[in-house]
Amino acid sequence: MAPLTCTKLSVITITGIVTQIIGLSVFVFGFFPVKPALPGTSGSESFFAPACDFVGNLSDTTLPSDQLQSLYQELSGIPPSFDRLILMVIDGLPAEFVLGKNEKPPKKQFKEAMPYTQSLLVSGSAIGYHAKAAPPTVTMPRLKAMVSGAIGGFLDVAFNFNTQAMMDDNLLGQFFRIGWKMVMLGDETWIKLFPRLFKRHDGVSSFYVKDTVQVDQNVSRHLRDELSKDDWNLLILHYLGLDHVGHIDGRSSVLMAPKLKEMDEVVKLIHSSIIQSQINRPGRPLLMIVSDHGMTENGNHGGSTYEETDSLVLFIGLRNHIFEYASVINQIDIAPTLALLFGVPIPKNNVGVLIREAFDSLKEDQHLRALELNAWQLLRLLHAQLSGLPCRNLPCDAFYDHQSSSSSECNHTTENMLCCLYMEAAALYTSWKSKRGFESASNKDYSRTTSAYYKFLKSASEWLSRRTTDKPVKLLALGLATLFISSVILSSLMFCWLREIYHGGKQQTSNLNDRMNGWSFDETFIVSAVLILVTCMTSSSMVEEEHYTWYFLISTFYLLLLRKTAQSLSAVGLQSSFLMQKGQSGEGFFRICCIFLLLISGRILRGWHQGGVNWTSLPDISKWLEQAGSQYVKPLQLISAVLVISIGLFALFSIETKGKYFQMVRLSFLISGLLVLLHITRYQDYAFSSTNYGATFLVQIIYAILGAVTIGTVVALPWLIPLSTSKIFPADNTIASPIFPSIQEKFPLVELRDSLYVVGWAYILCWCLLQLLLQQPINTTPVLLLLLQIVAGVHYFVRSGTHHKEWVEIAGFYYLGMAGHFSLGNSNTLATIDVAGAFIGISNHSTFLSGILMFIITYASPMFILLSLVMYISTKSMAHLVIPEKANAGDLLMMLLGFPCLVPLVLNSILLTAYTVVLLLMQNHLFVWSVFSPKYLYVCATTVCTLIGVFIVAATGFYTYFVLAMRKEKACSS
Amino acid sequence: MKEELAKSSQSTISSFQVFLIHVCCGLALAVGFWVARNVYSINLIFDPTTTLRLIWAVEFPVVILLFSYFRQKPEKCSYLKAIARGLLGLPVGVLLNVLGALALGAPAGLQYFERTASWSLLMSSLTFVPTACVYGSCWTDWHRIFACTKPKGPLDFMLCLPAHGAVIGAWFGAWPMPLDWERPWQDWPICVSYGAMAGYVAGMVGSLGLALMHTGGKQLKAE
C-alpha cells in the first residue's frame, strides 16, 4: 500500500466526515419524522367547509362561554346528546380483561370479578371496544392522545417530556371554553397537563408504585360526594391501582381480581347514581370507562405489543346495543366522538374517526352532518401535510356534479385517492340532501353516504397516523449503513496509519523507544474502554447512569498511567531521587505528582454532582455547599475564578517572546477576566440578572472583547510573531535534538510551536471565561478542576515523552472530556440542561442565540478538551516526528495534526454508530422514550461538538503553518 | 548456568508447596465464610463490615504464617522478621487500597469509612501482605512483580497472580453497583468483595497452573 500523504489523509478524513453527516441526517430524518401540526384551536370555522376562508373566527374568543355554546350548537346542527360526562380512567387495564380476546370471552376469574360491568355488557346498555393505543404506551402521551386525537411524533414526546402543560387544541380546553365546570380525582398527571382548568381536584401521585390500595381509596373517597353534586359537567376519575398491581406482579397477580372487583363496585356506584339522578334531573349523563394502555404479561408497558396497546373504551348510557363481540377502534377516536356528542368543535390536530355506534341514536341528517364535520376537520389536516392536495379548490357551497368524480380515478396517488374518496362522499351527501324531502327510498342512499364517509375517514385517519408512527425502514437502513461506512472509513484509516508509523517506519522509531512496538497495557485499555462503553449503551440503567462508566474508566486510566510511571522508575532512580533534583528521577516524581493531581481533581469532580437518575438524592458536594449557604459558595466561586484567570494569564506570560502584540493579547485577556470577576461579584447575586440592563450590557461587552481578542489572536499571530534566526533556545529540552537545526532551516518549527501555544491558551482562556460567566455559580470550581486536569495531563504527557503513543494520550483526553461533561451536572435526561444560563447577555429573545449559549454551557467540557488540543500539539516535541532527509510540509502537518483530529473523530463515530444500532434495536423498549431517545439527542449533539472542535483544531493548525511557511520563504528569499 | 544461579539465590519452591499454600489460602477464605454464616450467623450482605473483618481475621494469620515461611534469603532474615514485615506491610497495603478505592469512586462519606477500612484490610492481606512477607521492602522485586508484571519462577507467580486477580476481580465487581436492580448486594463494598475473592481464587488457580507448567518444562529439559 502506498504511504499515506497529508492530502490523502485529509481527503479520506473529510470523506468520512461527510459520509457521517449524511448518514446521521438521513437516520435522524427517518427516525424523527417532523409532522406539521396546525396551530391554534378549532372555533366556529370548523363548522364550515375548509376551502371557504372563514373570517369571523376572531369573534369566537371574545364571546362569553354560554353564547359560544349556543353558537356552536346552532352552527353544527347537532343537538348535544348528553350534558354531563363522567370519564373513568383505569390506568393500565387491558381490554382483554373485560371484553376477551379474539371473539372469546375474558378469563373466568376476570369475568367473575366484574359482575356488574359484565351484566351491563350483556344487557347492551354498555358498548365496549378494543381501543388500539399508539406507542409510547405511557400515561401522559396516551392521555394527550385521548383528549386531542393527535398522535405525537418521536420528537414531540422527547421535547415535551419536561414541559408539562398541554398547549395543543384539546377536548378539555374546548369544554372549558364553553363554560363547563370540571372536577378531577386521581392521577395528578391531569393536573400537570391542564393546570387551572379544574374547578376542584384531588391529585394522587403515581410515584409510590408499591401502593395499590391507598391510591384508589384517595379517589373513591370523594366519589359519593361529587356524584350528589350537580355543579360539574365533567368528572374525571383516574384510578392508578390496577397499573401498580401490574407493575408489582404482572397480569396474573393475585391482587388483580380484587382490584377489578373494586373497579366494578365503582362502576356500579356511578351507574346507579346516574339512573337515580335521571329521575330527578333533566339531561343525560354519559359514563365512559377507558384505560390509557394495556400491560404485558409482566405488567410493564411503554412498547407496542398487542398486550400493551390493547386498551379499553366502554360507553355506558348510549342507546342499547347488543354485540356478539367487541370491535376494534383507535384510542384517538375518542376525541372526535366526544367532541361531537357534546357539541364542541373537533380539536384541530385530531386524526381520529367518529365511533359509529355512538351516533346511532341521532337522526339521519344529524349523523351525516357529524360525519361531514369530521371529514372537514381531517381534510384541513390533510391540506397542512399534503400541499398538493388536488381537491383544494372546492366550491364553498359544495354543490357539484355527482358525475364529475367517478370511482375509477380513486386509485392513483395517495393524494388523488384521498381526495377522490372525499369528493365521492361529499357528492353523495349533497344528493342525499336534495332527495331527502321527497323520496322515500333515501334509506339506501343514506347507508351509501355513511359508508362513503367512513371509507374516506378511515383511510385519511390511517394515512395521517401512519405518517407519525411508521418509520421508513429503507431510510433508516440507509442512514445506518452510511454511518457504518463512515466509521469503517475513519477507523481503518487510523489503523492503517498507526501501522505505518509504528511498524512500517521501524528504522526510525526503534531507536526512540523499544516499547513503541509492543501493544502495551494502556493501549489495550483504551481500546477495551470503547467496547465497554458500547456494551453499556445497551442497558437502559447504564445509559441513565452513564457517568459512572466514564468516571470509572478515566480513573482506571489514571491508575494505569501511575503504574506505567512506576515501571519507568528504575530501582536506582528511586533511591537516588531523594538526593538528586534533576534527571530522570526528578522527572518521574514530577509525573507522579501530575497523576496525583489528576486523580484527586478527578475524584472531587466525580463527587461534585450526583448525576443520573437513580442516585440523585445521595449527598454530593454541590448540594452540601448550597445547603451551607451563599456565604460559602460565593468565596469559593471567586477564588476559583481568580485561580482560573491567573493560571491562564500565567501560561500566557510564561512564553518568552516579547513584543507589543503579545502584551496586547495578555492585557485584553486580563481586562476581560476582570470584567468577568466584576460580573460575578456584582450581578450574579440576583436571581434574574438577565432582566438587569447593566448586567446584560456588561456581558455583551465581555462577549465582544473575548470574541475579538480570540479571533484576532488566531488570525494575526502567525503574521506578527517574530521569525527566529536559526538559533535554538538552549534551555528548551523538548526540541533539543541533533537533527533539529536542519529541520528548523526548512520549517518554521519554533514559531509554529510558539504561536500554537499562544493560540491554544487564547482558546482555553476564552472558553474558561465564557464558562465562568455562563455556568451556574456552583460549577465554577469544576471549571477550575477541569483546567487543572488539562494542565496536569498535558504536562504529564510532555514529560513522559514517548512512553505513551500519541493516540493513547488523545483518547485519554477525550475520555477526560466526557467524564468532565457529567461532572458539570449533565446527564442523559433532557432535564439537566441549564436553560436559565442560556439567556445571559441576550437583550431580546432569540432562539438561535440562546440555543448557542445552551450548547456552550452543556458541552463545556468536551469542547474544552478539543480546544486545548491546540495547546497540547504545541507542547509535543516535533523534531522526531519528521524524517529530515525527505521531509516535506505535508508530512509535518500530518504528524502534527493527524492524531489530534483523527482520534476524537474515530472514537465519536464508533460510539455514534453503535448507539444508532442500539436505538434501532430498542425502538420497542419500554424506556425508548424516556431513556434512549434523549440519549440519542445527546449523542448527536456530541457529534456536532466533536466536528466543530476538530474543525477548529485543524483549521488553526493549517492556517498557522501556511502563514508561517510563507513568511519564512519570503524571509529566506529576500 | 546464570539462570540457575539466579534461581538458587531465590528460595526455591516446588509445585506441591504452591498447591498447598493456595489450598490453605482458599480454605481460609471458605472457613471465614463458614464461620460467619454458621457461628455468628451473619453474611456479607447484611453486615458487610463484621463479615469482612471476620474473613480477614481467618485469612490474615494463614497468609502471613504461610508466606513468611518462603521469605527471601532465609539465612539473613529470620521467620519472625518476615512475620514482622508482613505485619508492617498490612497498614501500608490498607492505605494504598483505600486510596485506590477512593480514586476509583468508593463513597467517601464517614458512614462508609468502616466498610472501606474492613474491605481494605482483606484486600491488603490478599494483595500486599504476601509480597511484604517474602520480599520485604526490596524495591527491585516489588517493581518487577507489581509495576512490570514480569514474574519469574513459581514464587513470583504465587505472589503476583492472586494479587492481580484480586484487584482486577474487584474492578469488575464494581460494575453492577450503579445499576437500578435494587438488590442489597449492590452496596459498597459487597459485590466488590465478591469480585475480589473470585479474582483471587482465579489467580491462585492460574498461578498453580503456571507453577505446574514451569516444573513440567524443567523436567522435560532435564530429560
Side-chain angles (χ1 to χ4, degrees):
Chain A
M1 208 180 121
L4 282 167
T5 59
C6 181
T7 339
K8 207 168 152 190
L9 187 81
S10 33
V11 166
I12 298 177
T13 314
I14 290 169
T15 319
I17 294 174
V18 170
T19 330
Q20 187 180 36
I21 294 172
I22 293 172
L24 186 62
S25 6
V26 168
F27 184 83
V28 167
F29 184 72
F31 208 92
F32 307 131
V34 181
K35 171 194 69 152
L38 293 172
T41 53
S42 294
S44 45
E45 84 280 358
S46 69
F47 299 108
F48 295 93
C52 316
D53 290 327
F54 183 74
V55 278
N57 59 350
L58 280 176
S59 60
D60 284 11
T61 50
T62 52
L63 281 178
S65 51
D66 49 337
Q67 280 182 35
L68 194 67
Q69 187 174 10
S70 52
L71 175 72
Y72 283 161
Q73 244 177 65
E74 187 187 319
L75 285 174
S76 74
I78 309 168
S81 327
F82 302 96
D83 64 341
R84 300 175 101 192
L85 172 65
I86 300 170
L87 184 66
M88 178 178 173
V89 185
I90 305 176
D91 207 292
L93 174 69
E96 199 183 327
F97 284 9
V98 184
L99 305 170
K101 188 180 172 182
N102 295 336
E103 304 173 20
K104 285 186 202 109
K107 282 188 192 164
K108 198 169 162 240
Q109 44 167 344
F110 297 141
K111 203 166 179 175
E112 281 169 359
M114 304 190 86
Y116 191 79
T117 315
Q118 293 295 341
S119 74
L120 286 178
L121 276 170
V122 169
S123 73
S125 49
I127 309 175
Y129 296 95
H130 291 276
K132 201 165 151 271
T137 44
V138 189
T139 300
M140 191 188 280
R142 290 306 92 228
L143 294 185
K144 281 186 178 177
M146 269 192 267
V147 296
S148 70
I151 299 175
F154 195 101
L155 277 191
D156 297 339
V157 178
F159 282 124
N160 291 330
F161 233 82
N162 303 312
T163 53
Q164 304 266 349
M166 185 162 183
M167 307 307 256
D168 302 335
D169 192 8
N170 62 75
L171 276 182
L172 265 68
Q174 294 285 0
F175 288 151
F176 187 72
R177 226 160 285 129
I178 60 166
W180 272 29
K181 304 282 180 289
M182 291 178 259
V183 178
M184 210 296 300
L185 308 172
D187 190 356
E188 62 186 5
T189 311
W190 286 95
I191 304 168
K192 284 181 195 157
L193 280 176
F194 307 104
R196 295 188 304 276
L197 245 59
F198 296 111
K199 186 181 157 110
R200 281 189 300 276
H201 57 77
D202 181 20
V204 298
S205 169
S206 62
F207 189 71
Y208 302 102
V209 176
K210 296 273 158 69
D211 168 30
T212 64
V213 180
Q214 197 62 43
V215 269
D216 289 351
Q217 277 177 3
N218 282 347
V219 181
S220 299
R221 63 180 171 182
H222 302 287
L223 192 53
R224 278 172 202 284
D225 199 26
E226 289 294 345
L227 286 174
S228 64
K229 285 180 190 162
D230 57 354
D231 61 343
W232 49 261
N233 303 82
L234 172 64
L235 171 65
I236 297 171
L237 307 163
H238 192 133
Y239 286 96
L240 285 167
L242 197 127
D243 185 50
H244 290 187
V245 169
H247 278 298
I248 294 170
D249 262 349
R251 280 189 173 208
S252 43
S253 164
V254 286
L255 295 171
M256 196 57 89
K259 185 49 79 181
L260 287 175
K261 179 97 189 125
E262 187 188 337
M263 292 299 109
D264 193 53
E265 294 293 327
V266 175
V267 174
K268 190 176 176 181
L269 175 71
I270 298 172
H271 192 237
S272 48
S273 103
I274 286 174
I275 292 169
Q276 256 179 10
S277 70
Q278 273 180 341
I279 304 163
N280 310 331
R281 235 194 324 252
R284 292 178 64 200
L286 175 68
L287 169 60
M288 219 180 137
I289 299 162
V290 296
S291 63
D292 51 351
H293 50 77
M295 58 172 77
T296 60
E297 212 45 57
N298 300 325
N300 285 325
H301 55 88
S304 55
T305 61
Y306 173 79
E307 282 78 17
E308 290 159 276
T309 54
D310 175 38
S311 71
L312 173 78
V313 171
L314 209 62
F315 289 98
I316 301 174
L318 292 176
R319 186 198 275 179
N320 283 9
H321 277 276
I322 299 173
F323 290 105
E324 290 291 310
Y325 52 88
S327 52
V328 179
I329 58 168
N330 284 316
Q331 197 177 36
I332 42 176
D333 296 344
I334 296 172
T337 309
L338 284 183
L340 291 183
L341 281 179
F342 289 92
V344 291
I346 300 173
K348 255 204 168 129
N349 286 306
N350 161 56
V351 185
V353 175
L354 295 178
I355 302 172
R356 191 188 285 242
E357 290 79 12
F359 294 90
D360 277 357
S361 56
L362 294 181
K363 286 185 199 129
E364 285 178 355
D365 60 329
Q366 289 167 353
H367 189 184
L368 286 176
R369 172 69 177 163
L371 286 173
E372 186 184 45
L373 290 177
N374 194 188
W376 281 348
Q377 182 267 325
L378 282 184
L379 203 62
R380 280 197 181 86
L381 202 59
L382 281 175
H383 274 314
Q385 304 210 357
L386 276 177
S387 48
L389 204 64
C391 46
R392 186 166 185 84
N393 306 319
L394 295 176
C396 286
D397 313 318
F399 278 119
Y400 27 62
D401 194 3
H402 184 195
Q403 313 300 327
S404 66
S405 60
S406 59
S407 54
S408 60
E409 286 171 31
C410 295
N411 45 16
H412 290 302
T413 57
T414 326
E415 293 94 332
N416 272 335
M417 201 263 292
L418 288 174
C419 182
C420 159
L421 283 176
Y422 169 73
M423 298 283 259
E424 201 176 305
L428 281 171
Y429 183 41
T430 322
S431 76
W432 180 83
K433 269 200 280 196
S434 59
K435 286 180 197 166
R436 176 173 51 149
F438 44 86
E439 260 187 64
S440 55
S442 67
N443 203 14
K444 196 180 153 206
D445 283 341
Y446 166 69
S447 63
R448 265 180 71 195
T449 315
T450 45
S451 62
Y453 262 120
Y454 273 114
K455 199 172 169 196
F456 163 71
L457 291 174
K458 286 261 161 67
S459 41
S461 162
E462 200 178 306
W463 186 83
L464 283 166
S465 54
R466 204 174 51 224
R467 290 255 311 188
T468 53
T469 53
D470 259 24
K471 300 189 182 80
V473 180
K474 277 182 196 162
L475 214 58
L476 294 185
L478 183 72
L480 185 60
T482 322
L483 278 178
F484 188 74
I485 290 170
S486 96
S487 83
V488 166
I489 289 177
L490 287 173
S491 33
S492 60
L493 176 67
M494 190 168 135
F495 184 73
C496 287
W497 193 29
L498 275 175
R499 218 174 44 183
E500 197 168 298
I501 289 176
Y502 294 116
H503 294 281
K506 221 167 210 173
Q507 307 92 291
Q508 283 83 40
T509 49
S510 58
N511 57 359
L512 289 170
N513 199 322
D514 286 344
R515 284 203 199 91
M516 297 287 276
N517 294 320
W519 185 251
S520 74
F521 206 61
D522 50 349
E523 293 159 35
T524 324
F525 176 74
I526 290 287
V527 174
S528 49
V530 176
L531 295 179
I532 291 173
L533 284 167
V534 170
T535 320
C536 285
M537 280 174 174
T538 54
S539 143
S540 63
S541 37
M542 277 318 235
V543 171
E544 281 174 345
E545 310 293 327
E546 195 191 351
H547 50 288
Y548 285 110
T549 319
W550 287 107
Y551 292 145
F552 202 53
L553 290 178
I554 193 73
S555 46
T556 312
F557 181 65
Y558 294 154
L559 288 178
L560 287 179
L561 292 184
L562 190 64
R563 184 173 171 277
K564 190 124 185 173
T565 314
Q567 267 177 18
S568 66
L569 283 183
S570 64
V572 192
L574 186 87
Q575 278 151 16
S576 56
S577 62
F578 300 104
L579 310 168
M580 290 165 68
Q581 292 299 313
K582 280 185 176 180
Q584 207 206 346
S585 59
E587 288 285 303
F589 263 92
F590 182 80
R591 275 152 56 193
I592 287 184
C593 289
C594 282
I595 295 176
F596 272 106
L597 187 61
L598 283 173
L599 277 170
I600 294 167
S601 54
R603 184 65 182 87
I604 299 174
L605 274 178
R606 179 194 174 118
W608 205 268
H609 286 284
Q610 191 71 44
V613 173
N614 296 309
W615 319 108
T616 35
S617 55
L618 293 182
D620 56 27
I621 301 176
S622 64
K623 271 183 222 135
W624 182 60
L625 278 175
E626 266 160 14
Q627 270 168 15
S630 66
Q631 73 268 31
Y632 295 102
V633 180
K634 199 85 200 172
L636 194 64
Q637 187 193 5
L638 273 179
I639 292 169
S640 310
V642 169
L643 277 177
V644 167
I645 294 167
S646 39
I647 288 174
L649 287 177
F650 177 75
L652 275 182
F653 273 97
S654 72
I655 197 153
E656 286 164 26
T657 321
K658 294 211 163 50
K660 266 182 195 166
Y661 185 71
F662 281 96
Q663 304 296 351
M664 241 176 70
V665 171
R666 288 164 192 164
L667 193 68
S668 32
F669 272 115
L670 184 65
I671 290 171
S672 42
L674 289 177
L675 285 177
V676 169
L677 282 181
L678 178 72
H679 181 262
I680 289 174
T681 44
R682 273 190 64 186
Y683 295 112
Q684 267 188 6
D685 279 340
Y686 307 112
F688 302 101
S689 60
S690 55
T691 55
N692 187 320
Y693 178 74
T696 310
F697 187 61
L698 179 61
V699 174
Q700 281 169 348
I701 290 179
I702 297 174
Y703 287 158
I705 294 180
L706 279 180
V709 173
T710 314
I711 293 171
T713 311
V714 176
V715 174
L717 193 73
W719 295 101
L720 296 175
I721 194 165
L723 282 175
S724 71
T725 48
S726 60
K727 79 172 175 85
I728 307 155
F729 302 110
D732 199 337
N733 54 2
T734 56
I735 305 189
S737 162
I739 53 168
F740 185 72
S742 63
I743 300 173
Q744 175 59 24
E745 272 171 26
K746 267 171 98 175
F747 304 114
L749 278 191
V750 176
E751 297 84 6
L752 186 59
R753 191 195 54 155
D754 282 354
S755 45
L756 280 183
Y757 181 80
V758 173
V759 169
W761 270 104
Y763 281 146
I764 292 178
L765 204 51
C766 166
W767 194 253
C768 280
L769 289 175
L770 268 182
Q771 297 305 327
L772 292 183
L773 200 63
L774 295 175
Q775 294 275 357
Q776 290 163 357
I778 201 80
N779 272 349
T780 317
T781 316
V783 171
L784 170 70
L785 291 171
L786 270 177
L787 180 66
L788 278 179
Q789 284 208 313
I790 287 169
V791 172
V794 168
H795 275 278
Y796 170 79
F797 288 132
V798 168
R799 297 299 172 100
S800 55
T802 52
H803 278 292
H804 304 279
K805 290 179 185 167
E806 201 186 351
W807 66 272
V808 174
E809 302 176 2
I810 293 161
F813 272 125
Y814 184 84
Y815 292 166
L816 165 63
M818 288 312 291
H821 172 68
F822 291 102
S823 61
L824 285 172
N826 293 302
S827 71
N828 279 332
T829 57
L830 297 174
T832 47
I833 294 177
D834 181 14
V835 184
F839 295 96
I840 295 176
I842 294 180
S843 40
N844 45 1
H845 184 80
S846 152
T847 320
F848 178 68
L849 286 179
S850 21
I852 289 178
L853 286 186
M854 219 185 298
F855 184 79
I856 291 177
I857 296 173
T858 313
Y859 281 88
S861 170
M863 201 61 163
F864 195 2
I865 295 294
L866 289 167
L867 289 178
S868 67
L869 283 182
V870 177
M871 192 267 281
Y872 164 81
I873 294 169
S874 76
T875 59
K876 288 308 270 187
S877 79
M878 299 163 184
H880 73 271
L881 289 175
V882 279
I883 312 152
E885 299 87 51
K886 49 178 181 177
N888 59 19
D891 279 353
L892 178 73
L893 269 178
M894 190 163 82
M895 288 312 217
L896 212 59
L897 296 174
F899 279 125
C901 296
L902 208 49
V903 174
L905 285 177
V906 169
L907 285 175
N908 182 64
S909 100
I910 291 174
L911 293 180
L912 174 71
T913 314
Y915 195 70
T916 311
V917 175
V918 168
L919 188 68
L920 267 186
L921 292 179
M922 296 289 170
Q923 58 176 321
N924 292 328
H925 189 276
L926 173 62
F927 293 136
V928 69
W929 306 98
S930 56
V931 177
F932 289 107
S933 69
K935 162 76 183 161
Y936 196 72
L937 297 181
Y938 273 106
V939 171
C940 293
T942 314
T943 308
V944 173
C945 170
T946 312
L947 292 182
I948 294 174
V950 166
F951 173 75
I952 291 176
V953 172
T956 314
F958 273 100
Y959 175 77
T960 315
Y961 176 77
F962 281 119
V963 169
L964 285 173
M966 208 175 73
R967 284 180 62 205
K968 182 110 186 169
E969 215 166 277
K970 247 181 210 167
C972 286
S973 61
S974 65
Chain B
M1 277 303 281
K2 262 186 184 173
E3 214 183 349
E4 262 178 41
L5 272 178
K7 281 258 164 60
S8 67
S9 77
Q10 217 177 41
S11 61
T12 47
I13 183 163
S14 72
S15 43
F16 180 69
Q17 284 171 314
V18 173
F19 175 72
L20 216 61
I21 286 188
H22 284 338
V23 165
C24 288
C25 292
L27 272 182
L29 274 184
V31 167
F33 268 104
W34 185 84
V35 169
R37 189 187 179 126
N38 294 351
V39 179
Y40 293 93
S41 55
I42 47 175
N43 63 27
L44 209 47
I45 293 169
F46 296 110
D47 193 354
T49 316
T50 327
T51 317
L52 278 173
R53 278 196 202 146
L54 198 69
I55 297 172
W56 170 76
V58 180
E59 177 80 13
F60 178 62
V62 174
V63 166
I64 201 167
L65 291 175
L66 279 177
F67 279 92
S68 296
Y69 186 72
F70 295 98
R71 65 203 177 274
Q72 197 70 350
K73 293 177 191 143
E75 65 280 356
K76 279 186 194 166
C77 170
S78 69
Y79 186 65
L80 281 179
K81 201 181 163 194
I83 290 180
R85 285 199 305 217
L87 286 174
L88 274 179
L90 179 72
V92 182
V94 168
L95 188 69
L96 285 181
N97 274 300
V98 167
L99 288 182
L102 284 181
L104 283 173
L110 275 180
Q111 70 269 34
Y112 288 100
F113 179 72
E114 272 201 336
R115 291 173 173 215
T116 314
S118 323
W119 174 81
S120 302
L121 271 178
L122 183 63
M123 280 302 281
S124 173
S125 26
L126 296 186
T127 57
F128 211 78
V129 172
T131 317
C133 286
V134 175
Y135 287 117
S137 63
C138 178
W139 170 251
T140 327
D141 295 315
W142 282 94
H143 185 256
R144 183 182 70 239
I145 294 175
F146 287 109
C148 298
T149 332
K150 283 178 182 151
K152 38 184 184 184
L155 186 64
D156 278 6
F157 285 131
M158 202 173 77
L159 297 172
C160 173
L161 287 183
H164 278 83
V167 171
I168 293 169
W171 191 85
F172 277 106
W175 279 98
M177 282 175 68
L179 293 171
D180 59 350
W181 295 341
E182 293 181 16
R183 297 298 144 97
W185 51 262
Q186 279 177 290
D187 244 9
W188 165 252
I190 301 164
C191 48
V192 179
S193 313
Y194 279 128
M197 282 183 252
Y200 182 66
V201 172
M204 290 200 299
V205 172
S207 129
L208 187 61
L210 281 175
L212 284 175
M213 268 168 60
H214 201 82
T215 49
K218 242 184 1 192
Q219 273 164 6
L220 272 179
K221 258 185 204 168
E223 278 168 14

